[in-house]
Amino acid sequence: MQALTQGLVSGSTHLCIGQEAVPVGACEALRDDDPLITTYRGHGWLLARGVDPVDFFAEILGRDSALNGGRAGSAYMSAAEHHVYGENSIVGAGVPIAVGLGLACRRAGDGRIPVVSIGDGAMNQGNVHESLNMASVLRIPMIVVVENNGYAEMTPSAMLTAVPAAQRAAAYAMVGLEVDGNDPQAVRDVVAGARSTSLESGRPVLVEAHTHRLGGHYSGDAQAYRPAGELEKHRQSDPLVQGRKLLSEEQAGRVEADVAMLVEDAFERAVAIAAPKAEEAGTHVYAR
Amino acid sequence: MSTLADVQALSYIRAVNLALEHALATDPSVIVLGEDVALPNGPFGATKGLHAAFGDRVIDTPISESAMVGTALGAAMGGLRPVLEVIYADFLLVAMDQIVNQVANARYVSRSALTAPLVIRTQQGHTPGACAQHSQSLEALFAHVPGLRVGVPSTPRDAYSMLRLAIESEDPVMIFESRRLYPTKGDVAPGEADAGLGVSETVRRGSELTVVTWGTGRALVEESLADAAAPSVDLIDLRWLSPWDSGAVIESVGRTGRLLVVHEANETGGFGAEVVSTVSSALGSGLRASGRVGLRGTPVPAAPPLAQAVLPTVSRVSEAMSALMEV
């Protein structure tokens, strides 16, 4: 956020402030080599998966990062070494791709299962319907995590969604689960259950995690659509605030100091990385 | 199933079928998927016998083109080699996001850490009585997109060898077949795929005019050339639009000085303009005259007389050749 205000980031970003418990809890329940696809609001998923914060910041800053060399930016990052097959800038577009990853996992027979995160707004995309039906009839294990933060871009989801995500699962003969998405331990347990259920049943499982977005849809969003007092109310259930209560004052202080140092150090090192070379722009279009 | 050694002349569709069979038999990572490809043996027979022989590596999908392309992409990124059949090219438009935003970008944005070695097979072009949603020729749309490879085979031999090359390619490849050509027969070279990806075929040599074509245009041009009054033509079947064999075309026009491009797709904004522009830039005044024959600027109508009025025809090709010879 600081980098944005300093003008170090080209364009906008979609921050997941307030939603951190979903990726943190889910990644605890997953194998490190379970394929992962996220929304464009995927920063938390990449960090929870273990991506080096230096590489991560460098990519957002348009530096020659170890991730994607500045080609992906904030909203389309991937980390192949960490089995992250990409954020996606097109709402819902990761779900069909997850079906194919699931097909590949099933053929490999090594117990891996893909996980795709989408927002509640993505539930109204045609390709999400297509993919849930297809994964179900083709008996492909996969987990769809719906991060329901109450807003589809900048419009309240309730105005746009006739039937909530978890209830829709039944329409595809899938199990649909709900969880408090601000509680990382609850997310971990529900996703772990979803993982077993999906592998055992050979069908996709949907997990709707209820959470709150404590920022705008994108970094320049003034959020004039927010009712007065809403943000203040949601800040009470901020997973970081809740998590702090689990620790002693001393423990919490130490964690906060450690994280602040880690972030500051990673950011400084990322800023120091050079910009990608212009002649790189024409490479990797084709295999040869 | 018969093997190539048993067969001399094959139909175009049987050549496709044999290329798929070869890929499934030799590479365990190859899968075939699409609507009606497994139990029903393929809407046009391209996948006949494959499900019986290869079981769950040949997969019937719901009628969900976006999910189909995305599934092929995910499977490819996950280590498989999917060959997806989309029954009509017109249906590709349902899956444009997955093709253009997802498949084409996977390698570039990840700096080749992720790749999408998949094939989308489809057929296109006018078939009598088919309407504007089952008759388009869409190759230029996809040749426009960096990251995709595009091939348009016009003979059984190329239907076989180009599909083999496509499946072996590390890039996503779209192969546009022609339903009208499916019954046509020709010799298919057994064994390894013989033409390189992006390599054109010079069908005949001549000195006065270069004619560049692909897909259904080839037969049309050959028929036009049967006329005794036809000029001496260097006929190049481009076969691939991405990458395309600009070197062969420039070399030819360098000798003949005249260029005609014949394709079934819309003339406006079409790939013919790309060919003419590239040759013009390379040769300058060495290109004395150029022209295009394609679909006149309308959707394709169903009734045969209406379709004939707008599609490229032998007489339109002949007239265009004569006009260029007067320059």
Side-chain angles (χ1 to χ4, degrees), chain A residues 244-253:
Chain A
R244 206 177 195 286
K245 292 177 187 164
L246 300 173
L247 306 173
S248 70
E249 196 57 37
E250 191 208 340
Q251 285 172 319

Side-chain angles (χ1 to χ4, degrees), chain A residues 64-65 68-69 71-72 76 85 88 90 93 96-97 99-101 107 127 130 134 138 281 283-288, chain B residues 57 60 62 64 66-67 70-71 74-75 77 97-98 101-102 105 107-109 111-112 147-149 170-171 197 242:
Chain A
D64 190 12
S65 86
N68 311 125
R71 289 161 183 242
Y76 199 18
Y85 287 82
N88 210 302
I90 307 294
I97 301 169
V99 179
L101 285 163
R107 271 199 69 75
N127 60 12
E130 289 185 11
M134 188 146 135
L138 296 183
T283 61
H284 298 286
V285 180
Y286 296 104
R288 55 186 175 83
Chain B
R57 291 170 63 200
D60 283 323
S64 303
S66 182
T71 297
M77 292 202 295
D97 168 62
Q98 287 294 326
N101 284 325
Q102 312 300 335
N105 288 337
R107 173 183 291 278
Y108 184 76
V109 180
R111 283 193 306 186
S112 301
L148 301 177
R149 295 305 195 188
E170 297 300 321
D171 293 314
L197 201 144
S242 174

Side-chain angles (χ1 to χ4, degrees), chain A residues 24-59:
Chain A
V24 167
C27 287
E28 273 294 303
L30 301 174
R31 268 171 55 169
D32 287 346
D33 58 354
D34 282 340
L36 184 60
I37 293 184
T38 84
T39 70
Y40 51 83
R41 202 179 299 289
H43 296 176
W45 289 92
L46 277 105
L47 290 171
R49 193 26 95 75
V51 168
D52 185 332
V54 178
D55 302 335
F56 168 84
F57 279 130
E59 187 61 38

Side-chain angles (χ1 to χ4, degrees), chain A residues 4-20:
Chain A
L4 281 167
T5 51
Q6 289 172 6
L8 288 170
V9 179
S10 172
S12 62
T13 59
H14 305 80
L15 303 178
C16 66
I17 295 169
Q19 303 184 199
E20 297 92 340

